[in-house]
Amino acid sequence: MSLLDFPRLHFRGFARANVPTGNRNTHGNIDIATNTVSMAGEPVDLSRPPAEFHAHLKQLAPRFNAKGKPDPDGIFSLAAGHNFCGNNHFSWENARITGVQLRDGEVDTQDLLVGARLGLWGHYNEYLRTTFNRARWIDNNPAQPDTTLIYAGQFTLSDKLATPNTPTLFTADIAQAHSVRWLGSGHITERSGHFLDEEIGRSRLFQFSVSKQDPHFLFNADRPLPASMHALQQALADDEVLGLTVQYCLFNMSTPPKPDSPVFYDLAGSIGLWRRDELATYPVGRLLQPRQASLGPVLVKLHADRVSFNMPTAIPFTTRDADAVSEQHPTHALGGKQALGDLLLQDASGTLLARIPEQLYRDHWRHHGVFDVPLQHAPAAGSLSLGSAQAQWDEADWVSQSDSNQLYLEAPNRNKHEAFPQTITVQSRFRGELAAPPSLAEAEDGALLTVEQQPSPLGHGYTALTLTGRQPGATRIVLGTGKHKQYLGVRVLPDDWHLDDVPAEQVDYAFLYQHVMSYYELVYPFMSDKVFSLADQCKCETYARLMWQMCDPQNRDKSYYMPSTRELSLPKSRLFLKYLTQVEAKAKAALPAPATPHAIGSKAELIDELKKAIDLELSLMLQYLYAAYSIPNYAQGAALVQAGRWLPAELELACGAEDRRRNSGTRGMLLEIAHEEMIHYLLVNNVLMALGEPFHRGTPVLGQQARQRFGLDTEFAFEPFSEHVLARFVRFEWPDYIPTPGKSIATFYIAIRQALAELPGLFESGGGKRGGEHHLFLKELTNRAYPGYQLEVSDRDSALFAIDFVTEQGEGVAVDSPHFASSHFQRLRTVAGKFSACGKPFEPALPALKNPVLEARADCTVVTDQTARALMQLYQGCYELTFLLMAHHFAQRPLGSLRRSRLMNASIDIMTGLLRPLSAALMNMPSGVPGRHAGPPVPEPVSSQVSGDYSLGCDMLAQKCLALAQYARGLESDVIGMAPIEMLEFFNQQLTDLSRGKMSREA
């Protein structure tokens, strides 16, 4: 049964308490029913600096000197207390395991766990994301010392030599606040005449429990645990054990050396098992109450052969040194426990059940008042008593208590006829066993509180109490009658419901300060002293969001909640949210002027914009290709799975399905979009040629040059695939119907479309179609609606259709359009979502360079590896050949389908049969930059010219094929296979035949 059973761990240390003392209302300056403050009998003038009230409080009599003796000029005042600037922080200092009891017998002080450190911490602050979070000491009713609550979030046990970065041996979250359970007076017999003698002589007992079912109840599996902790783990495996119970006592408060400084308490405690049907925060056992005021309670458990006692504060210490022992021991040395003779435990018939030798209970620092003695007679009859000639304890047969021992209730909202009841569970025991009491609860002051009693779903021994505040103030609930009385503290918060009706636009800083913050600025000056003054509007505006988060009622049970004292009513807390909305509204959220399309004013300007669009589409296409080729193909990816570097799901995401059907993964999706960008390149060229202009080969641009050329702020770069690159591609394709800051590619095309629609005289009357027909890489939706469409442009309508086709394929028309799902924009977003959903980050690309080049240029990296450079030269030559073939095709002003043009087919074959394998090869070659592969180079502009005469042009292209084939044959044998060389030689022959008229121009 809890500490009255085994195993049992004892610990000792110090507690640091930085508790505010100006709120104790010793002079009647504070009305806790309304949270108002007065000075000299009048409400404090809130227009005056708060420091004036602070000074007033500190000069009030009585005052005391540094020794705590009466002195009209003393540094301490009773009104301000010894720690007016306290911030409610509470912590354990140098708390260590001092002994282990795994079974009946002596306390083992040599166990390997002895010396281990214990920590009591606050809750993690999700908003500030802090460590070293302090617990908080809160007084529900600051005028009453028995209303203390500790808000703590985490309990830890660490190795004796642990440093701040050493993993703990054990950690657990604390589910609820725990309150003082026994308050003792005169726990130190000797008095010094200090004005704080009463507090110095007080003892407080606390208890909390941690559940083994909590996901953060953790023993460190990566560190060796002492055998005693393994024994603890074994005991925890019992189904009747809920977790661990930690009981600790505070006593012997250090004498404060000066005002506004924290104090220290001796801390002694024990850890045991938390068993089923035991309260988490109240000690279990048969309760014996003392007849003498200086004595504390005793808990008793009768076992088959022994009697266990829990009496950590039952017997006072005799003497106390005047000064603290040292900086490392900040409390004062105490004399021995008061000698009361042997204590005899008897039942109602006077039968002696057990004897506690005087030497045993005076050996306090070994067992901390939790020990066992032999049972001398059984069974016991009736109530128990414990005593000697000098002391006496009598059993309180009925003990009724709740884990919710100090409560805050909202006042009723009378205007709306709303009450805010709170239901708690009370457990009742008769002589230690669960039982239903004959009578239970009533409010000590019925004007403040109503109490309704109902059966509890927990069954026998439990009662549900519903508490409803009637008017503000502090009171108690009385549990039981006569010598069996127990108490629960209740604070009904101020009636502030009229503030709920104040519109948000009226809650400015002045309003918030007047109705909420002024009270805390006057009574709790630690904020202005250590953080920022609530009287400083600039600071409050700066931290308006944080103030709301700290005061959010949802965080009321967290240690970091503000105000720490928990006396903020719900309507007042909501004012912080209203104030935040006001502060946010001050930041004028003027929408940026929409990026209006550039107005194209002439045919010449339109031609320039179309050429710019061709450069844009070419630049996009090459970026998509670079990213696609940086991803290994399916066979290479499968090898990576076999080697354990990829997961099968990652292979599918990157490269698609093994059947090589429709699903080609991210690599295939990027290649599809690149193909469609090639169609856009050709289609815009068709529009350009329909205006009477020659084919524009285009120039790929990137970096600063791209920003200047296109006016877009999205980076243009040849970069291996990554989630970052994928996000950039999404930005490229961002549609005009979804708002976005700045200029986009969509607005670029809007201007072109507007010019095509409005400028006169763009197309020759009856000029017929211009450019080349093509029907590759068109969507199924296009095929279904326009099965005969081949990119023809001949007049204004077909030109507008072409531009709409480009934007529709990229942007998707509208979110609810059937074209949206197949648009570049949505396809890229869908794949981005798949990468984001991966359990671990996965970027399948080879580590190729960003913007690799042969010669230095802005925003690029020069490849220095000679083998890679040789292959990059071949790539550049084949790239030039591809676009020269297209240019020569269009120079003939053909009217037939591009699919039948031998020149266009040769261009496509060079892209597929040479540029693709060269790209893949370069992606796997060293670059000369450590850790990076080369990659296909950023193409240089095609400066070569081909004769406009078809035969001469074909001959020039044939010679270029031959030169490239000869160059390729001169490369190292393993750099490039025979297929690319043979393809160059094939087209050398075909182009030669075309130049001599031995072959038709169309297939």
Side-chain angles (χ1 to χ4, degrees):
M1 180 183 283
S2 188
L3 304 181
L4 302 178
D5 208 340
F6 300 108
R8 191 187 293 159
L9 310 177
H10 301 293
F11 62 91
R12 181 186 176 188
F14 308 100
R16 181 182 186 274
N18 197 8
V19 184
T21 54
N23 60 352
R24 296 180 180 179
N25 200 27
T26 58
H27 290 58
N29 295 98
I30 302 169
D31 182 356
I32 66 170
T34 58
N35 275 14
T36 54
V37 184
S38 61
M39 186 168 71
E42 297 293 330
V44 171
D45 182 356
L46 300 181
S47 67
R48 305 296 301 164
E52 290 185 4
F53 174 75
H54 300 161
H56 165 77
L57 213 60
K58 290 179 178 180
Q59 60 83 35
L60 290 175
R63 294 168 66 185
F64 307 90
N65 62 25
K67 297 295 184 180
K69 303 303 170 69
D71 182 343
D73 299 318
I75 60 175
F76 292 103
S77 79
L78 187 65
H82 66 275
N83 193 20
F84 189 29
C85 284
N87 61 7
N88 296 104
H89 283 192
F90 175 73
S91 59
W92 290 3
E93 308 282 336
N94 200 27
R96 294 177 180 269
I97 297 292
T98 57
V100 174
Q101 285 182 283
L102 302 182
R103 61 193 65 83
D104 190 12
E106 287 295 310
V107 176
D108 184 356
T109 59
Q110 302 302 313
D111 187 272
L112 291 177
L113 192 59
V114 171
R117 298 172 179 266
L118 294 94
L120 186 73
W121 301 98
H123 293 89
Y124 177 71
N125 189 318
E126 299 91 340
Y127 307 96
L128 294 173
R129 297 179 293 281
T130 56
T131 61
F132 210 78
N133 300 295
R134 296 293 197 185
R136 299 296 197 278
W137 169 316
I138 309 302
D139 293 316
N140 181 301
N141 179 0
Q144 298 296 328
D146 63 346
T147 64
T148 301
L149 275 162
I150 303 297
Y151 286 85
Q154 186 179 7
F155 172 66
T156 59
L157 181 64
S158 303
D159 184 78
K160 66 184 73 176
L161 300 177
T163 63
N165 57 317
T166 302
T168 60
L169 298 175
F170 170 78
T171 181
D173 282 1
I174 302 171
Q176 65 186 111
H178 55 281
S179 58
V180 60
R181 288 309 189 160
W182 299 340
L183 179 75
S185 180
H187 194 57
I188 301 171
T189 303
E190 183 180 40
R191 297 295 180 101
S192 67
H194 197 286
F195 81 101
L196 294 173
D197 267 347
E198 189 64 30
E199 179 62 30
I200 289 169
R202 284 196 177 107
S203 64
R204 291 178 173 86
L205 179 138
F206 298 89
Q207 178 176 301
F208 64 87
S209 300
V210 289
S211 171
K212 69 181 184 182
Q213 299 301 325
D214 189 281
H216 301 292
F217 184 96
L218 300 170
F219 289 87
N220 193 330
D222 298 326
R223 291 182 63 81
L225 300 178
S228 50
M229 288 196 73
H230 286 297
L232 195 63
Q233 287 179 296
Q234 290 175 356
L236 284 164
D238 188 336
D239 288 342
E240 291 300 306
V241 174
L242 303 180
L244 295 178
T245 285
V246 181
Q247 173 187 287
Y248 64 97
C249 303
L250 305 182
F251 52 93
N252 188 26
M253 186 187 88
S254 63
T255 302
K258 59 182 180 179
D260 301 328
S261 57
V263 293
F264 292 86
Y265 291 86
D266 273 317
L267 164 71
S270 302
I271 302 172
L273 300 177
W274 177 28
R275 296 189 180 277
R276 196 175 303 280
D277 283 324
E278 293 179 355
L279 292 177
T281 67
Y282 189 83
V284 72
R286 297 178 69 168
L287 177 65
L288 280 62
Q289 294 283 28
R291 295 181 186 177
Q292 292 81 15
S294 63
L295 303 180
V298 175
L299 287 170
V300 178
K301 171 66 176 177
L302 302 180
H303 300 275
D305 59 349
R306 62 185 171 89
V307 182
S308 298
F309 291 88
N310 183 7
M311 45 189 294
T313 61
I315 300 173
F317 291 91
T318 52
T319 62
R320 179 180 188 267
D321 284 1
D323 299 311
V325 176
S326 66
E327 287 188 7
Q328 290 73 38
H329 190 129
T331 59
H332 304 234
L334 296 173
K337 286 283 188 175
Q338 186 175 354
L340 301 174
D342 289 359
L343 301 177
L344 307 181
L345 180 69
Q346 298 174 311
D347 65 9
S349 66
T351 301
L352 178 65
L353 303 177
R355 178 189 300 271
I356 306 176
E358 179 179 295
Q359 181 182 358
L360 177 59
Y361 67 73
R362 297 191 71 196
D363 191 11
H364 178 80
W365 297 116
R366 183 171 59 87
H367 50 61
H368 302 159
V370 183
F371 53 81
D372 311 272
V373 299
L375 177 67
Q376 298 189 11
H377 185 276
S383 301
L384 304 178
S385 63
L386 177 70
S388 67
Q390 296 96 330
Q392 187 67 35
W393 289 264
D394 300 312
E395 183 167 12
D397 292 334
W398 284 98
V399 176
S400 296
Q401 275 295 342
S402 172
D403 277 329
S404 303
N405 188 50
Q406 298 293 332
L407 302 161
Y408 294 88
L409 299 177
E410 293 292 336
N413 186 345
R414 301 189 189 283
N415 289 337
K416 295 185 177 180
H417 306 289
E418 291 179 334
F420 300 90
Q422 186 172 336
T423 299
I424 64 171
T425 299
V426 173
Q427 183 191 81
S428 297
R429 291 181 180 269
F430 180 74
R431 296 177 186 165
E433 300 299 326
L434 289 173
S439 62
L440 187 60
E442 63 179 13
E444 200 169 51
D445 185 346
L448 271 61
L449 185 73
T450 62
V451 181
E452 294 182 13
Q453 188 171 316
Q454 302 94 18
S456 168
L458 295 178
H460 184 67
Y462 294 91
T463 305
L465 294 186
T466 298
L467 316 175
T468 307
R470 299 185 66 182
Q471 64 183 44
T475 186
R476 296 189 299 181
I477 299 168
V478 183
L479 302 175
T481 59
K483 68 175 184 177
H484 308 301
K485 283 184 180 179
Q486 306 281 314
Y487 299 95
L488 307 178
V490 179
R491 173 89 170 269
V492 182
L493 298 174
D495 182 356
D496 300 315
W497 290 105
H498 63 284
L499 296 174
D500 239 14
D501 299 325
V502 178
E505 55 268 21
Q506 294 182 21
V507 184
D508 57 9
Y509 168 78
F511 187 94
L512 188 67
Y513 184 78
Q514 175 187 350
H515 292 280
V516 186
M517 297 190 298
S518 59
Y519 174 78
Y520 300 99
E521 186 72 5
L522 292 168
V523 179
Y524 304 104
F526 80 89
M527 278 291 294
S528 58
D529 184 52
K530 302 296 185 185
V531 188
F532 64 82
S533 172
L534 300 175
D536 290 338
Q537 180 175 353
C538 62
K539 289 294 186 71
C540 292
E541 283 202 9
T542 299
Y543 295 107
R545 184 179 183 86
L546 183 61
M547 288 197 302
W548 157 243
Q549 291 168 337
M550 297 301 99
C551 298
D552 184 348
Q554 290 188 0
N555 296 324
R556 192 178 189 88
D557 293 330
K558 298 295 181 69
S559 56
Y560 57 75
Y561 174 80
M562 296 294 285
S564 301
T565 47
R566 269 68 180 175
E567 54 203 347
L568 188 69
S569 67
L570 185 60
K572 282 184 175 176
S573 69
R574 291 171 177 161
L575 291 180
F576 283 92
L577 180 56
K578 293 179 180 180
Y579 174 61
L580 173 59
T581 64
Q582 286 297 92
V583 171
E584 289 179 339
K586 286 182 180 179
K588 301 299 182 183
L591 292 175
T596 55
H598 167 63
I600 300 172
S602 66
K603 181 176 181 179
E605 192 176 350
L606 174 60
I607 288 168
D608 286 341
E609 289 298 307
L610 287 169
K611 290 179 178 178
K612 193 182 295 183
I614 292 165
D615 290 349
L616 176 66
E617 296 294 351
L618 179 60
S619 301
L620 291 177
M621 178 192 74
L622 293 172
Q623 290 178 79
Y624 286 129
L625 287 173
Y626 194 92
Y629 290 140
S630 72
I631 301 173
N633 62 32
Y634 188 91
Q636 293 168 324
L640 292 171
V641 172
Q642 190 69 27
R645 293 177 57 189
W646 283 11
L647 298 174
E650 292 171 338
L651 171 63
E652 183 173 357
L653 177 57
C655 304
E658 184 179 11
D659 60 20
R660 314 301 207 277
R661 288 175 177 156
R662 289 290 300 130
N663 179 13
S664 298
T666 302
R667 189 177 195 270
M669 180 271 297
L670 291 172
L671 287 173
E672 287 176 1
I673 292 178
H675 296 157
E676 291 167 3
E677 295 294 349
M678 185 65 189
I679 293 301
H680 298 173
Y681 166 86
L682 292 172
L683 191 48
V684 178
N685 248 312
N686 277 357
V687 175
L688 180 68
M689 289 185 285
L691 297 178
E693 292 294 308
F695 175 80
H696 178 64
R697 288 178 290 195
T699 301
V701 290
L702 47 78
Q704 182 62 32
Q705 185 183 4
R707 283 189 288 274
Q708 293 172 348
R709 178 91 173 117
F710 308 129
L712 304 174
D713 56 9
T714 304
E715 183 186 20
F716 278 55
F718 285 29
E719 196 170 354
F721 178 83
S722 69
E723 289 191 61
H724 159 74
V725 170
L726 189 53
R728 198 174 78 222
F729 290 167
V730 171
R731 293 298 304 171
F732 284 155
E733 307 290 352
W734 198 277
D736 71 292
Y737 52 84
I738 299 177
T740 182
K743 184 179 179 181
S744 67
I745 293 174
T747 57
F748 193 88
Y749 274 110
I750 289 173
I752 291 175
R753 191 187 194 287
Q754 185 174 352
L756 286 169
E758 296 177 358
L759 290 177
L762 294 179
F763 302 92
E764 296 178 13
S765 177
K769 63 183 179 182
R770 300 289 181 88
E773 298 173 359
H774 213 302
H775 53 236
L776 282 178
F777 308 127
L778 305 188
K779 292 191 300 187
E780 183 181 358
L781 285 170
T782 303
N783 178 71
R784 190 171 302 280
Y786 310 101
Y789 183 62
Q790 296 189 81
L791 312 187
E792 306 96 329
V793 179
S794 59
D795 53 18
R796 191 183 304 273
D797 287 343
S798 58
L800 291 172
F801 187 92
I803 298 301
D804 288 343
F805 173 85
V806 170
T807 56
E808 172 191 284
Q809 198 165 48
E811 303 168 31
V813 183
V815 173
D816 57 356
S817 163
H819 295 274
F820 182 74
S822 60
S823 67
H824 295 181
F825 175 67
Q826 184 60 9
R827 277 190 278 170
L828 290 164
R829 287 185 70 242
T830 300
V831 171
K834 292 178 180 178
F835 275 92
S836 297
C838 287
K840 65 179 180 67
F842 173 59
E843 292 183 357
L846 298 163
L849 282 176
K850 179 179 180 179
N851 299 334
V853 289
L854 285 162
E855 304 298 333
R857 57 189 281 193
D859 303 310
C860 298
T861 304
V862 175
V863 173
T864 58
D865 181 86
Q866 293 304 311
T867 303
R869 287 179 63 83
L871 201 61
M872 289 168 73
Q873 293 280 8
L874 179 60
Y875 179 98
Q876 176 65 32
C878 292
Y879 175 87
E880 291 179 358
L881 176 61
T882 296
F883 285 88
L884 289 173
L885 285 164
M886 278 192 278
H888 193 47
H889 164 85
F890 285 110
Q892 314 310 311
R893 296 186 178 273
L895 298 180
S897 170
L898 297 181
R899 288 292 290 149
R900 295 196 295 271
S901 166
R902 295 192 187 276
L903 291 176
M904 280 302 297
N905 284 342
S907 175
I908 292 171
D909 284 347
I910 297 295
M911 286 185 206
T912 306
L914 280 158
L915 294 182
R916 182 169 66 183
L918 291 176
S919 295
L922 284 164
M923 287 289 181
N924 288 278
M925 295 184 69
S927 64
V929 176
R932 286 288 176 180
H933 294 178
V938 177
E940 294 290 338
V942 179
S943 56
S944 303
Q945 297 296 325
V946 176
S947 172
D949 179 88
Y950 186 81
S951 296
L952 289 176
C954 287
D955 185 62
M956 293 174 65
L957 290 170
Q959 295 305 311
K960 188 168 185 64
C961 287
L962 180 59
L964 288 170
Q966 291 172 344
Y967 175 84
R969 285 189 177 276
L971 298 177
E972 297 177 13
S973 59
D974 60 343
V975 170
I976 185 172
M978 287 306 297
I981 298 173
E982 290 173 353
M983 180 171 284
L984 286 168
E985 291 174 342
F986 170 85
F987 283 116
N988 165 252
Q989 184 61 53
Q990 186 181 84
L991 288 164
T992 300
D993 290 345
L994 284 171
S995 70
R996 296 173 182 176
K998 294 182 178 181
M999 183 180 291
S1000 65
R1001 297 185 181 187
E1002 294 186 352

